[in-house]
Amino acid sequence: MRFDDIIIGGGLSGLLCGISLAETGRKCLIVSQGQSTLNFSSGALEFLACEEGVSYEQALKSLPGSHPYSKIGAEHLFVLRAEAAGLFERAGIPMRSDIRCNHWRITPLGVLKPVWMSLSEMTFFSKKDLPEKILVAGIKGFLDFNASFVASGLSEAGVDAKVCEVSVRELDELRDNASEFRSANLARALDGYAIDRLAEAINAESPEVDYILLPAVFGLENGKSVERMLSKLDKPAALIPTMAPSVPGIRLQKLLKKRFVALGGTFISGDNVISAEVNGGRIDSIRTERHGDTRFLAENVIFATGSFFSNGLKATPEEIFEPILHLDVDYSGSHGDWFNEDVYAVQPYLSFGVKTDDSLRVSLGGKTLENAWAVGQLLSGSLPLKSGCLGGVSVLSALYVAGQIKLAAQ
Ligand SMILES: Cc1cc2nc3c(=O)[nH]c(=O)nc-3n(C[C@H](O)[C@H](O)[C@H](O)COP(=O)(O)OP(=O)(O)OC[C@H]3O[C@@H](n4cnc5c(N)ncnc54)[C@H](O)[C@@H]3O)c2cc1C
C-alpha cells in the first residue's frame, strides 16, 4: 500500500500534521497504537509560560538553541500560530487564543495558569479582569472535581468564591458505583433535559454572583451539550477541567480524527508500527504488528509517537532509545542523572527526545534521513513542564513539518 505521507502516532501532533497535509489533497496514513495524551489533557494548549504583559517574542529569546521553537524560529512560529487557529476552526473546534501573548485559565486547584489556546467553553481571563463573585458548582459525589479546592484557590487570588453541589436523577444510578462515577460517564448521562434541570439547580444557587464555574463533563462527541448547558445558565459561565479522563481532551481527539478521515485520510487504530526499512538515506516503508508482512510505502514518514508516556521513547537502566528504528536520541549521563529525586525539581528526562536538524529531520547512526521527521513530544530539548510549552510544541512542530513537505511537493 502506497501513501504520500505516513504518520506514526495519532495524538495531537500526528493528527494536526495529517490534517494539514490532507487539506492539500495528499494521501495520508496515520497508524496509532493506543490512547494519546490528549485524553488526559485539559483541553487548553500551552505555548510558553510567560507572565502577563510579556509577549511570546520576548519570551522566546530566553530559550536555548536546542529547543524546538528555536529551530523553527520566532517569525515562523508567529505564522504557524495563526495557521493553527484556522485549522482547529475548520475541524469544528472553536479555540480562543491571542496570537501574541497568554491568557489565563483556572485549574482544578483554582490556580490561574497561563495558556495559549483554550476551548471556547473554558475561562479566558486576564489576571486584571477576574470576576468579583464566582459560584463554583460541583456535582454531588463526583470526586474528580472538588469545588472547594477551586474556590479556595480563587479566594487566594482575591475572588469572593462560593461553592454549591447539585445533581439530577439521571446521575443517581451511576453514583451507586464510585468507579462508574467518572467524567466520561457523566458526559454520557448529561444530555438534553438532564442538562436543563442541572442548569436550573445551579441557577437557584447563583442569584448574587457574577460568574459560574462548573466541571467539564459535557460533550464527549461534539460541543452541543456544552452550548446547551452554558446557554441555560443565568450568568456568564465557563467549564474547568476535571481529573482524567478529560472530556474536552477526548472530544478534541475525536473531532480531529473525524476531520482527518473526512479529508480522505486513512486512520489505523490499535496497531503498532514495529519496523521501518531504510535505503539510501530514506525510509522506504514501514511494517506494523497487525498487518504482518504488508509493507506500507510512503514519500515521507513522520514520527509523532510521543515521549515515554506513549512509548515513543523507552528506557532501560543502560540506555534510552526510540523503539521503531533506534533513531538517534539526545540524552546525556547515566541512569542516576536522568531524574531528580525531588519530584518538584526540573526532571532532566523530560528534555530527552530524538535528535533532529533545524528542519526537524531525524537521524540514524549520525546520518540525517532525507524523508523522515519528528514532531510533538518525541522531540528533544523542550523541558515542557519548566518552560510550559507542552501542547504548543506538538501543534507548531506538526504544522512546521507539514509546511515543509507541502512546499517541497509544489
Ligand atoms: C497527563 C498529561 C496531561 C497533559 N495535559 C496537557 C495540557 O493540559 N495542555 C497541554 O498543552 N499539554 C498537555 N500535555 C502535554 C501533551 O503531551 C501535549 O499537549 C500533546 O497532546 C502531545 O501530543 P503528541 O502527539 O506529541 O504525543 P502523544 O499524545 O503522546 O501521542 C503519541 C501517540 O503515538 C502513539 N504511538 C506511540 N508509539 C507508536 C507506534 N510504535 N506505533 C503506532 N503508534 C504509536 C501513541 O499510542 C499515542 O497515541 C499533557 C501530557 C500528559 C502526559
Side-chain angles (χ1 to χ4, degrees):
M1 272 182 265
R2 183 176 288 279
F3 293 87
D4 292 327
D5 310 305
I6 292 179
I7 297 150
I8 312 173
L12 183 64
S13 62
L15 280 164
L16 287 179
C17 192
I19 291 170
S20 176
L21 291 165
E23 278 185 340
T24 56
R26 294 182 67 82
K27 191 177 170 201
C28 299
L29 167 69
I30 295 180
V31 184
S32 199
Q33 178 186 11
Q35 282 196 340
S36 83
T37 55
L38 269 180
N39 294 269
F40 307 89
S41 79
S42 61
L45 304 173
E46 294 161 30
F47 175 72
L48 264 183
C50 41
E51 271 302 313
E52 190 145 357
V54 177
S55 73
Y56 289 149
E57 270 52 42
Q58 275 169 274
L60 284 167
K61 287 183 190 148
S62 64
L63 295 179
S66 54
H67 194 285
Y69 288 163
S70 305
K71 293 182 178 178
I72 297 172
E75 270 180 45
H76 236 115
L77 285 168
F78 185 82
V79 175
L80 295 173
R81 286 200 297 276
E83 192 182 324
L87 194 142
F88 279 111
E89 191 76 43
R90 292 191 293 282
I93 305 168
M95 296 287 259
R96 289 189 296 189
S97 65
D98 182 328
I99 198 166
R100 287 164 206 284
C101 56
N102 283 323
H103 61 275
W104 299 78
R105 76 171 172 93
I106 297 174
T107 70
L109 293 179
V111 176
L112 289 163
K113 196 166 182 196
V115 279
W116 162 42
M117 296 189 119
S118 23
L119 283 165
S120 58
E121 73 258 27
M122 303 195 139
T123 50
F124 189 86
F125 293 134
S126 138
K127 271 186 176 169
K128 289 174 220 117
D129 65 15
L130 282 179
E132 274 176 30
K133 291 184 178 184
I134 295 183
L135 171 71
V136 188
I139 290 176
K140 248 177 228 161
F142 178 46
L143 301 179
D144 292 338
F145 177 83
N146 188 317
S148 302
F149 282 174
V150 180
S152 74
L154 287 171
S155 304
E156 280 176 34
V159 175
D160 178 1
K162 172 184 156 185
V163 171
C164 74
E165 289 223 314
V166 290
S167 192
V168 286
R169 67 166 182 274
E170 282 78 358
L171 298 180
D172 289 346
E173 211 173 299
L174 281 179
R175 195 180 290 102
D176 287 345
N177 182 344
S179 65
E180 293 290 311
F181 210 54
R182 308 297 303 273
S183 57
N185 288 339
L186 263 66
R188 285 186 193 99
L190 288 171
D191 209 358
Y193 294 121
I195 286 183
D196 300 352
R197 282 197 305 283
L198 194 70
E200 263 172 45
I202 296 173
N203 285 334
E205 303 276 348
S206 68
E208 284 159 17
V209 301
D210 314 315
Y211 205 91
I212 300 170
L213 293 172
L214 56 158
V217 290
F218 308 92
L220 263 187
E221 303 292 331
N222 56 53
K224 283 187 188 144
S225 302
V226 174
E227 280 166 31
R228 184 167 184 152
M229 183 71 211
L230 297 182
S231 71
K232 299 278 172 181
L233 293 171
D234 292 342
K235 300 284 164 61
L239 305 186
I240 299 201
T242 66
M243 302 289 280
S246 157
V247 172
I250 295 172
R251 188 187 332 131
L252 260 174
Q253 173 89 36
K254 283 178 183 262
L255 289 175
L256 288 175
K257 180 177 168 191
K258 196 170 158 193
R259 170 75 175 157
F260 175 70
V261 172
L263 288 164
T266 305
F267 193 104
I268 300 178
S269 52
D271 201 359
N272 186 11
V273 173
I274 47 171
S275 65
E277 211 170 78
V278 178
N279 271 312
R282 296 173 63 83
I283 297 184
D284 284 344
S285 63
I286 58 144
R287 281 199 171 87
T288 77
E289 198 168 343
R290 267 195 2 216
H291 284 79
D293 289 338
T294 306
R295 288 170 72 215
F296 295 91
L297 297 104
E299 290 298 312
N300 300 288
V301 175
I302 297 116
F303 290 78
T305 47
S307 186
F308 297 101
F309 194 88
S310 296
N311 293 327
L313 288 180
K314 289 199 170 172
T316 66
E318 288 77 37
E319 63 160 349
I320 289 175
F321 63 99
E322 184 286 311
I324 299 172
L325 199 52
H326 282 256
L327 294 170
D328 295 341
V329 173
D330 264 329
Y331 72 98
S332 55
S334 54
H335 187 252
D337 308 313
W338 299 342
F339 59 95
N340 199 319
E341 284 192 6
D342 172 3
V343 289
Y344 296 106
V346 172
Q347 296 293 341
Y349 71 87
L350 289 176
S351 72
F352 300 164
V354 298
K355 224 184 248 294
T356 60
D357 64 9
D358 283 356
S359 58
L360 305 187
R361 281 188 176 86
V362 295
S363 60
L364 186 63
K367 292 208 173 105
T368 300
L369 296 177
E370 267 172 54
N371 69 336
W373 323 66
V375 296
Q377 298 301 305
L378 178 65
L379 291 166
S380 66
S382 72
L383 273 182
L385 295 180
K386 182 173 175 237
S387 51
C389 58
L390 295 148
V393 164
S394 295
V395 172
L396 300 164
S397 60
L399 299 186
Y400 178 59
V401 165
Q404 292 178 70
I405 293 173
K406 290 188 284 192
L407 196 66
Q410 277 177 4

